[in-house]
PDB file of all heavy atoms in Angstrom:
ATOM      1  N   ARG A 113     -11.760   5.969  -5.308  1.00 98.00           N
ATOM      2  CA  ARG A 113     -11.932   7.301  -4.679  1.00 98.00           C
ATOM      3  C   ARG A 113     -10.590   7.778  -4.167  1.00 98.00           C
ATOM      4  O   ARG A 113      -9.679   7.028  -3.893  1.00 98.00           O
ATOM      5  CB  ARG A 113     -12.935   7.113  -3.451  1.00 98.00           C
ATOM      6  CG  ARG A 113     -12.466   6.171  -2.375  1.00 98.00           C
ATOM      7  CD  ARG A 113     -13.517   5.809  -1.318  1.00 98.00           C
ATOM      8  NE  ARG A 113     -13.553   6.892  -0.340  1.00 98.00           N
ATOM      9  CZ  ARG A 113     -14.650   7.413   0.214  1.00 98.00           C
ATOM     10  NH1 ARG A 113     -15.781   6.883  -0.210  1.00 98.00           N
ATOM     11  NH2 ARG A 113     -14.628   8.311   1.057  1.00 98.00           N
ATOM     12  N   LEU A 114     -10.465   9.121  -4.137  1.00 98.00           N
ATOM     13  CA  LEU A 114      -9.280   9.705  -3.619  1.00 98.00           C
ATOM     14  C   LEU A 114      -9.605  10.602  -2.428  1.00 98.00           C
ATOM     15  O   LEU A 114     -10.663  11.364  -2.468  1.00 98.00           O
ATOM     16  CB  LEU A 114      -8.663  10.666  -4.693  1.00 98.00           C
ATOM     17  CG  LEU A 114      -8.019  10.010  -5.947  1.00 98.00           C
ATOM     18  CD1 LEU A 114      -7.523  11.102  -6.864  1.00 98.00           C
ATOM     19  CD2 LEU A 114      -6.975   9.000  -5.565  1.00 98.00           C
ATOM     20  N   THR A 115      -8.846  10.538  -1.433  1.00 98.00           N
ATOM     21  CA  THR A 115      -9.008  11.415  -0.253  1.00 98.00           C
ATOM     22  C   THR A 115      -7.769  12.165   0.146  1.00 98.00           C
ATOM     23  O   THR A 115      -6.631  11.682  -0.161  1.00 98.00           O
ATOM     24  CB  THR A 115      -9.499  10.696   1.003  1.00 98.00           C
ATOM     25  OG1 THR A 115      -8.602   9.560   1.263  1.00 98.00           O
ATOM     26  CG2 THR A 115     -10.891  10.053   0.773  1.00 98.00           C
ATOM     27  N   ALA A 116      -7.944  13.282   0.678  1.00 98.00           N
ATOM     28  CA  ALA A 116      -6.779  14.159   1.195  1.00 98.00           C
ATOM     29  C   ALA A 116      -6.409  13.613   2.566  1.00 98.00           C
ATOM     30  O   ALA A 116      -7.092  12.809   3.181  1.00 98.00           O
ATOM     31  CB  ALA A 116      -7.240  15.600   1.310  1.00 98.00           C
ATOM     32  N   GLU A 117      -5.273  14.103   3.014  1.00 97.00           N
ATOM     33  CA  GLU A 117      -4.735  13.611   4.328  1.00 97.00           C
ATOM     34  C   GLU A 117      -5.785  13.824   5.443  1.00 97.00           C
ATOM     35  O   GLU A 117      -5.833  13.083   6.395  1.00 97.00           O
ATOM     36  CB  GLU A 117      -3.454  14.362   4.615  1.00 97.00           C
ATOM     37  CG  GLU A 117      -2.649  13.808   5.741  1.00 97.00           C
ATOM     38  CD  GLU A 117      -1.261  14.368   5.894  1.00 97.00           C
ATOM     39  OE1 GLU A 117      -1.084  15.541   5.476  1.00 97.00           O
ATOM     40  OE2 GLU A 117      -0.405  13.722   6.394  1.00 97.00           O
ATOM     41  N   ASP A 118      -6.592  14.943   5.376  1.00 98.00           N
ATOM     42  CA  ASP A 118      -7.540  15.197   6.447  1.00 98.00           C
ATOM     43  C   ASP A 118      -8.903  14.432   6.272  1.00 98.00           C
ATOM     44  O   ASP A 118      -9.792  14.737   7.025  1.00 98.00           O
ATOM     45  CB  ASP A 118      -7.818  16.726   6.538  1.00 98.00           C
ATOM     46  CG  ASP A 118      -8.535  17.333   5.227  1.00 98.00           C
ATOM     47  OD1 ASP A 118      -8.840  16.541   4.335  1.00 98.00           O
ATOM     48  OD2 ASP A 118      -8.753  18.558   5.222  1.00 98.00           O
ATOM     49  N   GLY A 119      -8.906  13.607   5.228  1.00 98.00           N
ATOM     50  CA  GLY A 119     -10.102  12.803   5.030  1.00 98.00           C
ATOM     51  C   GLY A 119     -11.090  13.362   4.018  1.00 98.00           C
ATOM     52  O   GLY A 119     -12.071  12.735   3.755  1.00 98.00           O
ATOM     53  N   THR A 120     -10.815  14.555   3.526  1.00 98.00           N
ATOM     54  CA  THR A 120     -11.716  15.161   2.515  1.00 98.00           C
ATOM     55  C   THR A 120     -11.787  14.324   1.320  1.00 98.00           C
ATOM     56  O   THR A 120     -10.738  13.932   0.730  1.00 98.00           O
ATOM     57  CB  THR A 120     -11.234  16.556   2.150  1.00 98.00           C
ATOM     58  OG1 THR A 120     -11.215  17.397   3.335  1.00 98.00           O
ATOM     59  CG2 THR A 120     -12.105  17.207   1.086  1.00 98.00           C
ATOM     60  N   LEU A 121     -13.005  13.991   0.848  1.00 98.00           N
ATOM     61  CA  LEU A 121     -13.179  13.221  -0.395  1.00 98.00           C
ATOM     62  C   LEU A 121     -12.928  14.161  -1.561  1.00 98.00           C
ATOM     63  O   LEU A 121     -13.657  15.138  -1.740  1.00 98.00           O
ATOM     64  CB  LEU A 121     -14.600  12.677  -0.388  1.00 98.00           C
ATOM     65  CG  LEU A 121     -14.941  11.771  -1.640  1.00 98.00           C
ATOM     66  CD1 LEU A 121     -14.024  10.533  -1.704  1.00 98.00           C
ATOM     67  CD2 LEU A 121     -16.387  11.312  -1.501  1.00 98.00           C
ATOM     68  N   LEU A 122     -11.882  13.809  -2.313  1.00 98.00           N
ATOM     69  CA  LEU A 122     -11.530  14.685  -3.425  1.00 98.00           C
ATOM     70  C   LEU A 122     -12.184  14.299  -4.777  1.00 98.00           C
ATOM     71  O   LEU A 122     -12.591  15.216  -5.564  1.00 98.00           O
ATOM     72  CB  LEU A 122      -9.979  14.623  -3.640  1.00 98.00           C
ATOM     73  CG  LEU A 122      -9.112  14.997  -2.476  1.00 98.00           C
ATOM     74  CD1 LEU A 122      -7.602  14.700  -2.700  1.00 98.00           C
ATOM     75  CD2 LEU A 122      -9.354  16.458  -2.102  1.00 98.00           C
ATOM     76  N   ALA A 123     -12.260  13.003  -5.061  1.00 98.00           N
ATOM     77  CA  ALA A 123     -12.758  12.562  -6.350  1.00 98.00           C
ATOM     78  C   ALA A 123     -13.212  11.123  -6.213  1.00 98.00           C
ATOM     79  O   ALA A 123     -12.653  10.395  -5.413  1.00 98.00           O
ATOM     80  CB  ALA A 123     -11.773  12.685  -7.432  1.00 98.00           C
ATOM     81  N   THR A 124     -14.175  10.751  -7.057  1.00 98.00           N
ATOM     82  CA  THR A 124     -14.570   9.354  -7.189  1.00 98.00           C
ATOM     83  C   THR A 124     -14.551   8.977  -8.670  1.00 98.00           C
ATOM     84  O   THR A 124     -14.557   9.835  -9.515  1.00 98.00           O
ATOM     85  CB  THR A 124     -16.008   9.156  -6.629  1.00 98.00           C
ATOM     86  OG1 THR A 124     -16.925   9.917  -7.430  1.00 98.00           O
ATOM     87  CG2 THR A 124     -16.139   9.466  -5.147  1.00 98.00           C
ATOM     88  N   ALA A 125     -14.511   7.648  -8.868  1.00 98.00           N
ATOM     89  CA  ALA A 125     -14.417   7.226 -10.300  1.00 98.00           C
ATOM     90  C   ALA A 125     -15.018   5.827 -10.383  1.00 98.00           C
ATOM     91  O   ALA A 125     -15.073   5.033  -9.397  1.00 98.00           O
ATOM     92  CB  ALA A 125     -12.981   7.223 -10.801  1.00 98.00           C
ATOM     93  N   THR A 126     -15.454   5.533 -11.578  1.00 98.00           N
ATOM     94  CA  THR A 126     -15.780   4.154 -11.986  1.00 98.00           C
ATOM     95  C   THR A 126     -15.082   3.875 -13.264  1.00 98.00           C
ATOM     96  O   THR A 126     -14.815   4.726 -14.080  1.00 98.00           O
ATOM     97  CB  THR A 126     -17.345   3.931 -12.125  1.00 98.00           C
ATOM     98  OG1 THR A 126     -17.779   4.906 -13.152  1.00 98.00           O
ATOM     99  CG2 THR A 126     -18.057   4.119 -10.834  1.00 98.00           C
ATOM    100  N   THR A 127     -14.757   2.583 -13.480  1.00 98.00           N
ATOM    101  CA  THR A 127     -14.063   2.197 -14.661  1.00 98.00           C
ATOM    102  C   THR A 127     -14.556   0.863 -15.136  1.00 98.00           C
ATOM    103  O   THR A 127     -14.972   0.007 -14.317  1.00 98.00           O
ATOM    104  CB  THR A 127     -12.518   2.162 -14.521  1.00 98.00           C
ATOM    105  OG1 THR A 127     -11.907   2.039 -15.786  1.00 98.00           O
ATOM    106  CG2 THR A 127     -12.031   1.064 -13.606  1.00 98.00           C
ATOM    107  N   SER A 128     -14.496   0.641 -16.406  1.00 98.00           N
ATOM    108  CA  SER A 128     -14.656  -0.686 -17.008  1.00 98.00           C
ATOM    109  C   SER A 128     -13.252  -0.900 -17.670  1.00 98.00           C
ATOM    110  O   SER A 128     -12.800  -0.010 -18.328  1.00 98.00           O
ATOM    111  CB  SER A 128     -15.817  -0.724 -17.980  1.00 98.00           C
ATOM    112  OG  SER A 128     -15.649   0.217 -19.071  1.00 98.00           O
ATOM    113  N   ALA A 129     -12.695  -2.100 -17.476  1.00 97.00           N
ATOM    114  CA  ALA A 129     -11.411  -2.313 -18.006  1.00 97.00           C
ATOM    115  C   ALA A 129     -11.326  -3.732 -18.607  1.00 97.00           C
ATOM    116  O   ALA A 129     -11.887  -4.684 -18.076  1.00 97.00           O
ATOM    117  CB  ALA A 129     -10.350  -2.225 -16.866  1.00 97.00           C
ATOM    118  N   ARG A 130     -10.743  -3.813 -19.821  1.00 97.00           N
ATOM    119  CA  ARG A 130     -10.513  -5.095 -20.484  1.00 97.00           C
ATOM    120  C   ARG A 130      -9.474  -5.840 -19.722  1.00 97.00           C
ATOM    121  O   ARG A 130      -8.492  -5.311 -19.223  1.00 97.00           O
ATOM    122  CB  ARG A 130      -9.984  -4.820 -21.891  1.00 97.00           C
ATOM    123  CG  ARG A 130      -9.561  -6.066 -22.596  1.00 97.00           C
ATOM    124  CD  ARG A 130     -10.309  -6.602 -23.757  1.00 97.00           C
ATOM    125  NE  ARG A 130     -11.309  -5.762 -24.322  1.00 97.00           N
ATOM    126  CZ  ARG A 130     -12.649  -6.113 -24.361  1.00 97.00           C
ATOM    127  NH1 ARG A 130     -12.987  -7.303 -23.901  1.00 97.00           N
ATOM    128  NH2 ARG A 130     -13.528  -5.373 -24.927  1.00 97.00           N
ATOM    129  N   LEU A 131      -9.762  -7.144 -19.532  1.00 97.00           N
ATOM    130  CA  LEU A 131      -8.843  -8.001 -18.826  1.00 97.00           C
ATOM    131  C   LEU A 131      -7.918  -8.695 -19.849  1.00 97.00           C
ATOM    132  O   LEU A 131      -8.392  -9.254 -20.828  1.00 97.00           O
ATOM    133  CB  LEU A 131      -9.579  -9.078 -18.052  1.00 97.00           C
ATOM    134  CG  LEU A 131     -10.489  -8.498 -16.963  1.00 97.00           C
ATOM    135  CD1 LEU A 131     -11.348  -9.628 -16.370  1.00 97.00           C
ATOM    136  CD2 LEU A 131      -9.723  -7.773 -15.878  1.00 97.00           C
ATOM    137  N   VAL A 132      -6.593  -8.593 -19.566  1.00 95.00           N
ATOM    138  CA  VAL A 132      -5.576  -9.180 -20.478  1.00 95.00           C
ATOM    139  C   VAL A 132      -4.636 -10.015 -19.641  1.00 95.00           C
ATOM    140  O   VAL A 132      -4.265  -9.608 -18.496  1.00 95.00           O
ATOM    141  CB  VAL A 132      -4.761  -8.006 -21.150  1.00 95.00           C
ATOM    142  CG1 VAL A 132      -3.734  -8.570 -22.122  1.00 95.00           C
ATOM    143  CG2 VAL A 132      -5.680  -7.006 -21.837  1.00 95.00           C
ATOM    144  N   GLU A 133      -4.295 -11.187 -20.152  1.00 93.00           N
ATOM    145  CA  GLU A 133      -3.283 -11.968 -19.379  1.00 93.00           C
ATOM    146  C   GLU A 133      -2.046 -11.163 -19.183  1.00 93.00           C
ATOM    147  O   GLU A 133      -1.508 -10.574 -20.167  1.00 93.00           O
ATOM    148  CB  GLU A 133      -2.980 -13.233 -20.170  1.00 93.00           C
ATOM    149  CG  GLU A 133      -4.135 -14.212 -20.225  1.00 93.00           C
ATOM    150  CD  GLU A 133      -3.763 -15.460 -21.083  1.00 93.00           C
ATOM    151  OE1 GLU A 133      -2.566 -15.909 -20.979  1.00 93.00           O
ATOM    152  OE2 GLU A 133      -4.638 -15.945 -21.780  1.00 93.00           O
ATOM    153  N   THR A 134      -1.543 -11.105 -17.981  1.00 89.00           N
ATOM    154  CA  THR A 134      -0.367 -10.290 -17.712  1.00 89.00           C
ATOM    155  C   THR A 134       0.804 -10.694 -18.545  1.00 89.00           C
ATOM    156  O   THR A 134       1.533  -9.807 -19.009  1.00 89.00           O
ATOM    157  CB  THR A 134      -0.029 -10.387 -16.230  1.00 89.00           C
ATOM    158  OG1 THR A 134      -1.118  -9.927 -15.418  1.00 89.00           O
ATOM    159  CG2 THR A 134       1.201  -9.617 -15.871  1.00 89.00           C
ATOM    160  N   ALA A 135       0.997 -11.949 -18.809  1.00 85.00           N
ATOM    161  CA  ALA A 135       2.136 -12.412 -19.619  1.00 85.00           C
ATOM    162  C   ALA A 135       2.087 -11.792 -21.031  1.00 85.00           C
ATOM    163  O   ALA A 135       3.109 -11.555 -21.673  1.00 85.00           O
ATOM    164  CB  ALA A 135       2.169 -13.939 -19.684  1.00 85.00           C
ATOM    165  N   LYS A 136       0.892 -11.527 -21.559  1.00 86.00           N
ATOM    166  CA  LYS A 136       0.733 -10.916 -22.889  1.00 86.00           C
ATOM    167  C   LYS A 136       0.772  -9.371 -22.798  1.00 86.00           C
ATOM    168  O   LYS A 136       1.230  -8.767 -23.757  1.00 86.00           O
ATOM    169  CB  LYS A 136      -0.602 -11.286 -23.471  1.00 86.00           C
ATOM    170  CG  LYS A 136      -0.636 -12.748 -23.878  1.00 86.00           C
ATOM    171  CD  LYS A 136      -2.015 -13.139 -24.489  1.00 86.00           C
ATOM    172  CE  LYS A 136      -2.069 -14.591 -24.826  1.00 86.00           C
ATOM    173  NZ  LYS A 136      -3.378 -14.995 -25.347  1.00 86.00           N
ATOM    174  N   ALA A 137       0.362  -8.779 -21.665  1.00 82.00           N
ATOM    175  CA  ALA A 137       0.329  -7.366 -21.554  1.00 82.00           C
ATOM    176  C   ALA A 137       1.736  -6.796 -21.198  1.00 82.00           C
ATOM    177  O   ALA A 137       2.098  -5.702 -21.698  1.00 82.00           O
ATOM    178  CB  ALA A 137      -0.668  -6.951 -20.490  1.00 82.00           C
ATOM    179  N   ILE A 138       2.399  -7.474 -20.355  1.00 80.00           N
ATOM    180  CA  ILE A 138       3.713  -6.992 -19.920  1.00 80.00           C
ATOM    181  C   ILE A 138       4.797  -7.884 -20.504  1.00 80.00           C
ATOM    182  O   ILE A 138       5.228  -8.900 -19.925  1.00 80.00           O
ATOM    183  CB  ILE A 138       3.860  -6.949 -18.411  1.00 80.00           C
ATOM    184  CG1 ILE A 138       2.702  -6.073 -17.857  1.00 80.00           C
ATOM    185  CG2 ILE A 138       5.174  -6.412 -17.946  1.00 80.00           C
ATOM    186  CD1 ILE A 138       2.592  -6.070 -16.302  1.00 80.00           C
TER     187      ILE A 138
END
Side-chain angles (χ1 to χ4, degrees):
R113 59 189 282 138
L114 293 178
T115 54
E117 191 171 29
D118 68 0
T120 300
L121 183 59
L122 302 172
T124 61
T126 56
T127 191
S128 58
R130 171 115 6 243
L131 299 173
V132 182
E133 290 178 36
T134 299
K136 292 179 181 176
I138 304 174

